[in-house]
Amino acid sequence: MYVGRFVVVGPDVGAYRVSSRSFPNRKLTAREDALTVGPTDDAPGTDNPYVSYNCLRVVDTPTGETAAFGNGSHVDPIAEKLELGYPARDALAESLLALDYEKDDYNTPRIAATIGDDGEALIGTVRKDALLVETVEEPTLVATYETNAPESFEFEADSAEAAASEAFDCEFEHAVCAAGIARTDDGFETALENGN
């Protein structure tokens, strides 16, 4: 089954996976304060605004660190609102609503999640017909297609590396790359899987 891009989040661990039929020549790159999706060196040129973006950021907030991750440019305003002290629910809802679903041929939903260092985790999506933001107590997935409302999902990972690997290896079709995030006693750890 092809579900497109997806996020999965539990109270302590999460992942984001790029799955793509249209733009498979992409990879994740670790930057100083973010994991970024972008084209590989051999990718054909494109002016599509949805191909490159920060997909995961860990930011300092007034109450501690929080991780934000998702499938597009909305990750940056979510992270910026968290830094300013917005509650995670408000940062997700306001940013998703402001940027809205992607205006492409498929009206692709925007999806995102947060994990706070207090263990609070949220997941959200904005589709053409709805804005949904939920607190999660167990691993929960939302995808751009098919599974475009948050639902319980079996996810066993307990580290960032395991989360990236497990998300990449999910049976959903057309895996391209995946990011993992985990809350530890020493703060957040991140990992990436480019499938090489």
PDB file of all heavy atoms in Angstrom, residues 33-46:
ATOM      1  N   ASP A  33      21.112  22.284  13.372  1.00  0.00           N
ATOM      2  CA  ASP A  33      19.919  22.288  14.211  1.00  0.00           C
ATOM      3  C   ASP A  33      18.720  21.627  13.554  1.00  0.00           C
ATOM      4  O   ASP A  33      17.592  21.818  13.980  1.00  0.00           O
ATOM      5  CB  ASP A  33      19.553  23.716  14.601  1.00  0.00           C
ATOM      6  CG  ASP A  33      19.220  24.570  13.381  1.00  0.00           C
ATOM      7  OD1 ASP A  33      19.489  24.126  12.249  1.00  0.00           O
ATOM      8  OD2 ASP A  33      18.684  25.678  13.565  1.00  0.00           O
ATOM      9  N   ALA A  34      18.941  20.834  12.501  1.00  0.00           N
ATOM     10  CA  ALA A  34      17.816  20.246  11.788  1.00  0.00           C
ATOM     11  C   ALA A  34      18.252  19.044  10.963  1.00  0.00           C
ATOM     12  O   ALA A  34      19.428  18.893  10.635  1.00  0.00           O
ATOM     13  CB  ALA A  34      17.184  21.291  10.861  1.00  0.00           C
ATOM     14  N   LEU A  35      17.285  18.208  10.621  1.00  0.00           N
ATOM     15  CA  LEU A  35      17.453  17.215   9.573  1.00  0.00           C
ATOM     16  C   LEU A  35      16.672  17.743   8.375  1.00  0.00           C
ATOM     17  O   LEU A  35      15.524  18.162   8.506  1.00  0.00           O
ATOM     18  CB  LEU A  35      16.914  15.848  10.001  1.00  0.00           C
ATOM     19  CG  LEU A  35      17.647  15.162  11.155  1.00  0.00           C
ATOM     20  CD1 LEU A  35      17.036  13.791  11.431  1.00  0.00           C
ATOM     21  CD2 LEU A  35      19.133  15.032  10.874  1.00  0.00           C
ATOM     22  N   THR A  36      17.312  17.737   7.205  1.00  0.00           N
ATOM     23  CA  THR A  36      16.749  18.373   6.023  1.00  0.00           C
ATOM     24  C   THR A  36      16.579  17.362   4.896  1.00  0.00           C
ATOM     25  O   THR A  36      17.494  16.585   4.619  1.00  0.00           O
ATOM     26  CB  THR A  36      17.676  19.517   5.556  1.00  0.00           C
ATOM     27  OG1 THR A  36      17.817  20.450   6.628  1.00  0.00           O
ATOM     28  CG2 THR A  36      17.098  20.235   4.354  1.00  0.00           C
ATOM     29  N   VAL A  37      15.409  17.395   4.261  1.00  0.00           N
ATOM     30  CA  VAL A  37      15.149  16.602   3.069  1.00  0.00           C
ATOM     31  C   VAL A  37      15.548  17.436   1.858  1.00  0.00           C
ATOM     32  O   VAL A  37      15.197  18.618   1.768  1.00  0.00           O
ATOM     33  CB  VAL A  37      13.648  16.239   2.957  1.00  0.00           C
ATOM     34  CG1 VAL A  37      13.371  15.505   1.647  1.00  0.00           C
ATOM     35  CG2 VAL A  37      13.205  15.403   4.140  1.00  0.00           C
ATOM     36  N   GLY A  38      16.286  16.827   0.938  1.00  0.00           N
ATOM     37  CA  GLY A  38      16.675  17.539  -0.277  1.00  0.00           C
ATOM     38  C   GLY A  38      17.037  16.564  -1.368  1.00  0.00           C
ATOM     39  O   GLY A  38      17.136  15.354  -1.139  1.00  0.00           O
ATOM     40  N   PRO A  39      17.252  17.071  -2.574  1.00  0.00           N
ATOM     41  CA  PRO A  39      17.563  16.198  -3.707  1.00  0.00           C
ATOM     42  C   PRO A  39      18.955  15.583  -3.589  1.00  0.00           C
ATOM     43  O   PRO A  39      19.869  16.182  -3.020  1.00  0.00           O
ATOM     44  CB  PRO A  39      17.475  17.137  -4.915  1.00  0.00           C
ATOM     45  CG  PRO A  39      17.668  18.509  -4.362  1.00  0.00           C
ATOM     46  CD  PRO A  39      17.156  18.482  -2.961  1.00  0.00           C
ATOM     47  N   THR A  40      19.103  14.391  -4.143  1.00  0.00           N
ATOM     48  CA  THR A  40      20.414  13.776  -4.256  1.00  0.00           C
ATOM     49  C   THR A  40      21.185  14.482  -5.374  1.00  0.00           C
ATOM     50  O   THR A  40      20.614  15.228  -6.166  1.00  0.00           O
ATOM     51  CB  THR A  40      20.291  12.274  -4.584  1.00  0.00           C
ATOM     52  OG1 THR A  40      19.547  12.134  -5.794  1.00  0.00           O
ATOM     53  CG2 THR A  40      19.592  11.513  -3.456  1.00  0.00           C
ATOM     54  N   ASP A  41      22.478  14.218  -5.442  1.00  0.00           N
ATOM     55  CA  ASP A  41      23.318  14.861  -6.459  1.00  0.00           C
ATOM     56  C   ASP A  41      22.867  14.537  -7.884  1.00  0.00           C
ATOM     57  O   ASP A  41      23.049  15.338  -8.794  1.00  0.00           O
ATOM     58  CB  ASP A  41      24.782  14.447  -6.277  1.00  0.00           C
ATOM     59  CG  ASP A  41      25.363  14.977  -4.976  1.00  0.00           C
ATOM     60  OD1 ASP A  41      24.807  15.960  -4.437  1.00  0.00           O
ATOM     61  OD2 ASP A  41      26.356  14.407  -4.499  1.00  0.00           O
ATOM     62  N   ASP A  42      22.292  13.354  -8.068  1.00  0.00           N
ATOM     63  CA  ASP A  42      21.884  12.942  -9.416  1.00  0.00           C
ATOM     64  C   ASP A  42      20.410  13.204  -9.706  1.00  0.00           C
ATOM     65  O   ASP A  42      19.875  12.766 -10.721  1.00  0.00           O
ATOM     66  CB  ASP A  42      22.199  11.461  -9.633  1.00  0.00           C
ATOM     67  CG  ASP A  42      21.468  10.562  -8.642  1.00  0.00           C
ATOM     68  OD1 ASP A  42      20.890  11.078  -7.657  1.00  0.00           O
ATOM     69  OD2 ASP A  42      21.470   9.334  -8.845  1.00  0.00           O
ATOM     70  N   ALA A  43      19.716  13.928  -8.820  1.00  0.00           N
ATOM     71  CA  ALA A  43      18.291  14.202  -9.016  1.00  0.00           C
ATOM     72  C   ALA A  43      18.082  15.191 -10.161  1.00  0.00           C
ATOM     73  O   ALA A  43      18.856  16.137 -10.316  1.00  0.00           O
ATOM     74  CB  ALA A  43      17.682  14.771  -7.737  1.00  0.00           C
ATOM     75  N   PRO A  44      17.044  14.978 -10.971  1.00  0.00           N
ATOM     76  CA  PRO A  44      16.738  15.967 -12.004  1.00  0.00           C
ATOM     77  C   PRO A  44      16.284  17.270 -11.360  1.00  0.00           C
ATOM     78  O   PRO A  44      15.725  17.268 -10.263  1.00  0.00           O
ATOM     79  CB  PRO A  44      15.609  15.313 -12.803  1.00  0.00           C
ATOM     80  CG  PRO A  44      15.034  14.262 -11.908  1.00  0.00           C
ATOM     81  CD  PRO A  44      16.127  13.840 -10.984  1.00  0.00           C
ATOM     82  N   GLY A  45      16.535  18.383 -12.014  1.00  0.00           N
ATOM     83  CA  GLY A  45      16.129  19.672 -11.480  1.00  0.00           C
ATOM     84  C   GLY A  45      14.613  19.793 -11.400  1.00  0.00           C
ATOM     85  O   GLY A  45      13.894  19.202 -12.202  1.00  0.00           O
ATOM     86  N   THR A  46      14.126  20.523 -10.407  1.00  0.00           N
ATOM     87  CA  THR A  46      12.686  20.743 -10.255  1.00  0.00           C
ATOM     88  C   THR A  46      12.451  22.094  -9.602  1.00  0.00           C
ATOM     89  O   THR A  46      13.271  22.558  -8.805  1.00  0.00           O
ATOM     90  CB  THR A  46      12.018  19.630  -9.424  1.00  0.00           C
ATOM     91  OG1 THR A  46      10.620  19.901  -9.312  1.00  0.00           O
ATOM     92  CG2 THR A  46      12.612  19.561  -8.016  1.00  0.00           C
TER      93      THR A  46
END
